[in-house]
Every structure is written in C-alpha cells, then in structure tokens.
Amino acid sequence: MKHIPEKHLTSIVKCYWTLDGKLSPTEMYIHRTLANHCPEIIFHYGSEFKEILGDNKIESTFRTGIHGQTDKIRKFTAKGNCGIFGVVLQPYAPTLLFNISATALKNELVDLESLLGQEGKTFLSK
C-alpha cells in the first residue's frame, strides 16, 4: 500500500509504502526492487529479508537502513510472516538529512547504525 505524506513533509518525503506477507513455513517470498532515482529508508519487521545476488548466493541485509538510489534490479527473499515499511525520499534528501551525497549511496544498502552511529544504534534499541 502506498501512503501520501502530510504536505509539510513533501519537500523531503515523496511517499510511504507498506508490504505485509503471511506465508506458510514452506513458502518463500521474492521481493524485487527496480531501478529508482529516489532513496528509501526501509524498516523490516517480521522475518528477515535476504538479498539474492547474481550468482544465486543469498546474503543477509539490514533490518533498518537506507536503500540508496539505484540503477539496477535487486531481488530479496523472506520466509514466514514478513513486512516492510518504506519511506521514499526525494532524490536530494540524503544530503539534507544525513549530510551524505546521494551519489555516495548509489546502489548501496546501509544499515542505520553505520549511517547515524550511536544515534542509529539507540534508535534501533527502542
């Protein structure tokens, strides 16, 4: 589901989105992301999402972090009950919010603690 932000947030936030899935223990969900000029702050809840790399190797990803602007398709997998809350940012928002250029985040998945240091760690512990 897609949600529109309050008007006073639209200069930073393009939209919010949610995805919820309830799977049997034997089912696997595949989530594909497309090339996107807007970075996103992602909050995973429920089961862990893992990235399926080009050689079909599966790699753990963050629970909460930023998915930078991207020029490629990515695939992620989850089992069991899973969910994502995403905040789609305006393309220039990483510079305003985190003092980091959008190009430095291109095609990167950066966990919140690496991005914000102790503040990110404190946020995640709550």
Side-chain angles (χ1 to χ4, degrees):
M1 294 184 68
K2 185 176 174 181
H3 311 276
I4 304 302
E6 296 289 325
K7 189 167 181 75
H8 69 280
L9 295 175
T10 59
S11 65
I12 299 291
V13 177
K14 188 171 182 176
C15 68
Y16 306 101
W17 63 274
T18 57
L19 176 140
D20 289 292
K22 294 182 191 260
L23 306 170
S24 74
T26 59
E27 287 181 288
M28 180 186 295
Y29 172 72
I30 303 289
H31 179 75
R32 290 172 178 83
T33 63
L34 302 174
N36 191 349
H37 69 283
C38 292
E40 298 180 62
I41 300 174
I42 303 291
F43 300 86
H44 292 280
Y45 52 91
S47 63
E48 178 183 14
F49 274 78
K50 296 181 179 186
E51 185 171 11
I52 303 170
L53 302 173
D55 57 1
N56 285 329
K57 181 180 174 187
I58 296 179
E59 188 175 277
S60 290
T61 64
F62 59 66
R63 298 279 296 168
T64 302
I66 191 163
H67 186 177
Q69 295 169 326
T70 182
D71 60 4
K72 61 183 180 177
I73 295 170
R74 295 176 105 145
K75 291 191 313 186
F76 300 87
T77 184
K79 293 181 178 180
N81 295 337
C82 58
I84 305 172
F85 175 76
V87 180
V88 180
L89 301 172
Q90 298 293 354
Y92 50 82
T95 302
L96 298 173
L97 296 173
F98 309 115
N99 198 27
I100 187 168
S101 73
T103 55
L105 292 173
K106 182 180 177 184
N107 293 319
E108 296 294 328
L109 298 170
V110 182
D111 67 275
L112 202 59
E113 186 176 349
S114 296
L115 189 65
L116 299 176
Q118 184 58 43
E119 289 178 350
K121 187 175 184 176
T122 301
F123 178 81
L124 293 173
S125 67
K126 294 185 179 200

